[in-house]
C-alpha cells in the first residue's frame, strides 16, 4: 500500500487513554473468536493519539458517542451509538465496538473519512458527518 493510500485510509485518530486501555484488553480477549475485529481494534488503539477524558475534543468518536456517518459508495447516512458489547442492541441503534464498523469509527472526528472493511471484507469509504457526546 502506498504512503498516500495509507494516509487516506487511516486518518489520525484520538482516544481517551482509559478507553484505549480497556479496548486493547477487550480486543485481546476476543482474539481467537474474532481475529479480524481484534486485529483492527488493536491497530487503532496502538496508533491513536491519547488524551485524558476531559481533554478529548468533543467531535471525537468515543464510547457512547452518537455518530452520524455516510457510506460514500451509496450516499446512505446512518446514525448509531458506539457501545460496549454488553450494551449493544442493533435494533436500538447501539453498535458494538466489536464489529468492523464500530472498530472503524472509534477515534475519528467530524469530517474525517476512512476506508474500512465491512463484515464481508469489502472496503467502504465512510465519512463522519456528526458526533454527539452522551449527556
Amino acid at each position: 500500500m502506498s504512503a498516500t493510500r495509507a494516509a487516506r485510509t487511516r486518518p489520525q485518530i484520538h482516544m481517551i487513554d482509559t478507553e484505549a486501555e480497556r479496548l486493547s484488553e477487550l480486543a485481546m480477549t476476543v482474539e481467537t473468536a474474532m481475529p479480524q475485529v481484534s486485529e483492527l481494534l488493536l491497530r487503532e488503539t496502538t496508533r491513536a493519539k491519547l488524551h485524558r477524558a476531559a481533554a478529548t475534543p468533543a467531535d471525537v468518536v468515543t464510547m457512547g458517542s452518537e455518530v452520524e456517518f455516510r457510506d460514500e459508495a451509496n450516499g446512505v447516512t446512518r446514525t448509531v451509538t458506539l457501545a460496549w458489547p454488553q450494551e449493544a442492541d442493533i435494533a436500538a441503534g447501539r453498535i458494538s465496538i466489536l464489529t468492523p464498523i464500530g472498530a472503524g469509527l472509534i477515534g475519528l472526528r467530524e469530517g474525517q473519512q476512512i476506508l474500512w472493511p465491512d463484515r464481508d471484507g469489502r472496503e467502504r469509504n465512510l465519512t463522519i458527518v456528526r458526533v454527539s457526546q452522551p449527556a
Side-chain angles (χ1 to χ4, degrees):
M1 179 182 304
S2 72
T4 304
R5 183 165 184 233
R8 183 172 56 90
T9 60
R10 302 284 190 262
Q12 174 65 58
I13 62 171
H14 304 266
M15 287 188 186
I16 298 171
D17 53 4
T18 54
E19 282 187 359
E21 184 176 328
R22 186 172 170 195
L23 289 168
S24 293
E25 291 170 3
L26 179 63
M28 289 187 289
T29 64
V30 300
E31 186 174 20
T32 302
M34 307 173 83
Q36 178 195 22
V37 173
S38 175
E39 179 184 339
L40 292 171
L41 195 51
L42 283 171
R43 186 180 328 144
E44 295 303 275
T45 57
T46 301
R47 72 183 192 87
K49 181 176 180 180
L50 302 180
H51 304 272
R52 290 182 331 278
T56 303
D59 66 344
V60 170
V61 178
T62 59
M63 296 305 298
S65 294
E66 183 178 86
V67 185
E68 181 181 347
F69 65 95
R70 181 176 50 252
D71 183 331
E72 297 299 339
N74 56 23
V76 172
T77 301
R78 287 184 60 196
T79 301
V80 298
T81 299
L82 192 57
W84 296 102
Q86 65 274 18
E87 300 163 352
D89 178 352
I90 195 69
R94 293 190 306 269
I95 63 164
S96 173
I97 187 67
L98 292 181
T99 60
I101 191 68
L105 293 174
I106 190 77
L108 291 174
R109 297 180 83 165
E110 287 180 10
Q112 284 187 310
Q113 288 187 337
I114 191 166
L115 193 59
W116 200 255
D118 63 16
R119 287 184 185 269
D120 300 322
R122 293 176 304 203
E123 288 194 325
R124 311 296 286 211
N125 191 10
L126 307 176
T127 301
I128 304 301
V129 176
R130 181 185 53 80
V131 177
S132 298
Q133 298 303 330

